[in-house]
Amino acid sequence: HAAYLPFTTAEELQDRIADDLATLLAERFDAAQEQGDEPDADGLGATVGRIPVPYTSTIGREDDLRRVRELLAKGTDRVVSLVGPGGIGKSRLAIEVARAGGDLFRDGVYFVLLEGVLEPDLLLSTIAYSLGVRDSGAVDLEDRIAVALEGRRVLIVLDNFEQIVDAAPVLVRLYTAAPLATFLVTSRVVLRIRGEQVYEVEALASPATTEPATLHRALRSSAVALFVDRAQAVRPDFELTDDNVADVVGICRRLEGLPLAIELAAAKVRALSPATIDARLEQSLPLLAATSRDLPERHRTMRAAIDWSVSLLPAVQRDLLEDLGVFAMRFTLDAVEAVSAGRSWEGEVIDALGAVVDASLVKQADLGGRSTFSLLGIVREYSLARLEARGEADAMRGAHADYYSDLVRRASPDLRGPAQVETVRLLSLELSNLRAAVRHLVHTDRLDDAGDFAWDLFVYWWISGFFSEVRLWMLELLGKQHPISTRTRAVAVFFTVWGEMWRRPSEEVIERLGESSRLFEESGDEDASAMALAARGSTRMRFPDLDMPAAEAEVQRAREVFHRLGNWWLEALTDVALGLLAMARGEFPASLEHFERATAIGVREQDAFTRVVAGNNVARVRLLGGDIAAAEDQYRSTLELAALLHYDEGAQYALEGMSAIAALRG
């Protein structure tokens, strides 16, 4: 049912079968990799729409999984919202639904982590990134997503939507434009949009309080099964027996079947007996829950369970856990050590971090060859609330922002040249923390630092397609009633019109880029001034009535500055722009000369981005000139480099060219 392939001889049949077997083996290998416990080799799997691999087995959600699948299979509900308090297992259920949903969604399942996204305006760019749609600036991002989803039966999981619930109407626009797409949302609150079907995620079943806690009844309880499973993870010889069953059942009843609370309690089995855990919970939970009367019942129980678990830690480990609340999603040991100065746990990072991992309050995973750590969202909220209550949140956020500002400064030079691929990978792993850092810099009026932060990452924003986000930060920066340096204003003006330059070129954009160039020059940054000038010339190239002399003069003048200053990266990109202008005049030999010079610079400096951008244009001119073989070789080379760099726009141009070649060959 996959394909009909003709053959006329036994030899042809043998070749067909050999090819099919090779394809089947490759597909099985790919499937095994996707279902395995390891992230993809470059460590970017969790950031580009892949379904997360759970740390532990999922217990007691079989009925929920079946019911949610039935809702999705109906196809009548455009948005299915899994709603419930923190710690109840919404994300875990969404992961299992996504992992089992391939048969319902022929064109793919995408998992979008919103945990580190706090601004509603960032929803579109986050969805786009997970779909592999990059914000090149050429088209409105919402339109690009709609085109990418057109005619495709896909499931898009949006995890932790409650913090940007004001962005919910965006989903209505997306599913209206892409009627075959379905959204599965996890949220603590209902979205209240048309097309939404709400599914309440309930706690796990505990043995009824009206019945004796017998071993037979306990074994039928999913809450007890979860406790036993997690207890055996920390103490393999643990068993549910007639002697401890009443205590285990008591624990699960007190914790109301909340999965995260049960996991935290089970982690204490390493040091405490179930009877001791039950007794301590009996004393602590009512008191702790009573202090949070403003929270719904299940929220109070969950918060109290975390509080009890944390109370068993020594003071140094408690302080560390609370301080970790400033990190977004995952973080590294280096980052934790960098913010330890002056903290109670300074000098004890490895031991203290290991202890909170053992307590199941922090998760550890190897990603991209590095050991990374993370807090569940509700544990991070708890930690941050405690940190704020101590009046130390701003100090820790400042230390966090300082570390990532320093990381960006150190990484910025490596965004050009032989270390480019590795540096882009590193920054992608840290994306949520980069967002949190720049958000803090803007919020606390460290606006010049925020401007430097954004400018240092210019190459990364371009490769990964995050200009929409940067534009929001820069608009907020410019709207502040706070003095900023001339250079920071130049940076902010540049980023606010970069997208408009491609999307809606106008005289206003020309004027603003001219202003940015002038401000950079006044601040003494001749290099950045020339960059804004080159962007101005590139904007003119987007006009229907191209002013060729003006565009060429600005780009050529910028190129001369880059050459004089030794900025080979921007010199190569202005050569590409000059090549495009030559193409517009129909001067193909001259355009090829520009493109090949830019490619040669990229090869010399081992810069993948330059080689992709320039190489695709070399291939294009070769193809237009009839040299199909040379064009094909060039496109294949740029496609491989773009894939290595995760530069999707470059890959798209290469695939477009290869499609043209295939069409020419029939």
Side-chain angles (χ1 to χ4, degrees), residues 259-572:
L260 177 57
I262 291 171
E263 291 193 24
L264 293 175
K268 304 299 178 288
V269 165
R270 177 179 296 171
L272 304 174
S273 69
T276 305
I277 295 172
D278 188 34
R280 292 198 177 197
L281 285 173
E282 184 180 17
Q283 296 166 10
S284 302
L285 277 188
L287 175 64
L288 294 170
T291 64
S292 305
R293 287 299 177 192
D294 58 323
L295 294 174
E297 183 62 40
R298 282 260 162 79
H299 283 276
R300 289 205 303 272
T301 302
M302 188 66 250
R303 191 65 57 88
I306 296 173
D307 215 340
W308 169 78
S309 187
V310 172
S311 72
L312 300 181
L313 298 173
V316 167
Q317 295 169 17
R318 284 201 305 272
D319 290 347
L320 168 66
L321 182 70
E322 292 169 9
D323 289 347
L324 293 179
V326 299
F327 286 101
M329 290 182 66
R330 68 179 71 86
F331 49 89
T332 65
L333 178 61
D334 288 344
V336 178
E337 288 179 329
V339 301
S340 68
R343 312 307 294 176
S344 65
W345 42 274
E346 184 180 8
E348 300 181 40
V349 175
I350 294 178
D351 290 342
L353 194 55
V356 291
V357 169
D358 289 344
S360 295
L361 291 162
V362 173
K363 301 294 185 183
Q364 187 273 332
D366 291 331
L367 196 62
R370 296 191 308 163
S371 184
T372 64
F373 302 87
S374 61
L375 279 70
L376 290 174
I378 192 168
V379 177
R380 182 182 299 108
E381 286 177 19
Y382 170 89
S383 296
L384 204 50
R386 297 276 297 182
L387 192 60
E388 287 172 344
R390 283 162 42 196
E392 298 180 17
D394 283 344
M396 279 304 297
R397 285 193 179 105
H400 173 278
D402 288 342
Y403 169 73
Y404 284 101
S405 295
D406 182 62
L407 175 69
V408 164
R409 275 192 297 272
R410 288 185 282 111
S412 181
D414 290 333
L415 283 168
R416 302 169 176 84
Q420 186 178 67
V421 172
E422 173 63 20
T423 305
V424 168
R425 184 194 66 82
L426 167 69
L427 292 171
S428 294
L429 291 174
E430 297 284 13
L431 179 59
S432 293
N433 282 303
L434 298 179
R435 285 170 165 161
V438 76
R439 189 184 302 121
H440 178 75
L441 293 175
V442 174
H443 178 71
T444 56
D445 294 332
R446 292 174 57 182
L447 306 183
D448 291 336
D449 291 338
D452 290 340
F453 192 104
W455 193 252
D456 285 341
L457 288 178
F458 177 83
V459 180
Y460 176 69
W461 305 138
W462 194 343
I463 292 171
S464 298
F466 287 119
F467 283 122
S468 292
E469 293 194 28
V470 184
R471 181 173 186 271
L472 290 175
W473 299 329
M474 295 299 102
L475 285 171
E476 184 179 352
L477 185 155
L478 289 172
K480 289 259 186 176
Q481 300 300 313
H482 195 84
I484 56 176
S485 71
T486 302
R487 187 177 186 278
T488 298
R489 186 170 298 280
V491 169
V493 170
F494 182 91
F495 277 126
T496 56
V497 295
W498 174 267
E500 301 299 294
M501 167 181 124
W502 303 104
R503 194 175 295 135
R504 285 177 286 271
S506 65
E507 290 298 334
E508 182 183 357
V509 173
I510 295 283
E511 182 180 337
R512 295 282 279 169
L513 286 169
E515 178 189 358
S516 177
S517 180
R518 176 179 56 77
L519 290 170
F520 274 127
E521 189 171 5
E522 288 178 9
S523 70
D525 193 336
E526 187 181 7
D527 193 63
S529 176
M531 186 172 176
L533 182 66
R536 196 171 192 235
S538 296
T539 304
R540 296 186 191 279
M541 293 166 59
R542 308 285 297 178
F543 282 31
D545 51 342
L546 170 61
D547 185 345
M548 181 72 72
E552 189 163 26
E554 288 172 340
V555 175
Q556 184 63 50
R557 194 158 82 244
R559 184 188 178 281
E560 290 167 0
V561 172
F562 299 140
H563 182 76
R564 174 167 50 80
L565 296 177
N567 188 335
W568 55 265
W569 195 79
L570 285 173
E571 180 185 350

Side-chain angles (χ1 to χ4, degrees), residues 53-131:
V53 177
Y55 293 103
T56 51
S57 56
T58 301
I59 293 174
R61 290 301 184 192
E62 295 79 10
D63 286 344
D64 292 308
L65 179 58
R66 176 180 55 78
R67 290 172 188 153
V68 175
R69 271 184 58 87
E70 287 172 356
L71 289 174
L72 296 173
K74 282 196 311 182
T76 54
D77 303 307
R78 308 311 312 283
V79 177
V80 175
S81 296
L82 307 181
V83 176
I88 198 126
K90 301 183 297 296
S91 296
R92 174 58 67 90
L93 177 58
I95 288 172
E96 294 302 335
V97 171
R99 284 161 64 90
D103 60 324
L104 299 178
F105 299 94
R106 64 174 187 266
D107 297 311
V109 177
Y110 299 88
F111 206 97
V112 184
L113 293 164
L114 297 174
E115 193 173 344
V117 180
L118 300 180
E119 295 97 339
D121 288 341
L122 298 185
L123 174 62
L124 277 175
S125 60
T126 307
I127 291 175
Y129 187 66
S130 296
L131 293 176

Side-chain angles (χ1 to χ4, degrees), residues 416-419 568-569 599-608 611:
R416 302 169 176 84
W568 55 265
W569 195 79
T599 303
I601 292 175
V603 171
R604 184 191 74 209
E605 302 293 341
Q606 301 177 59
D607 185 88
R611 292 173 64 187

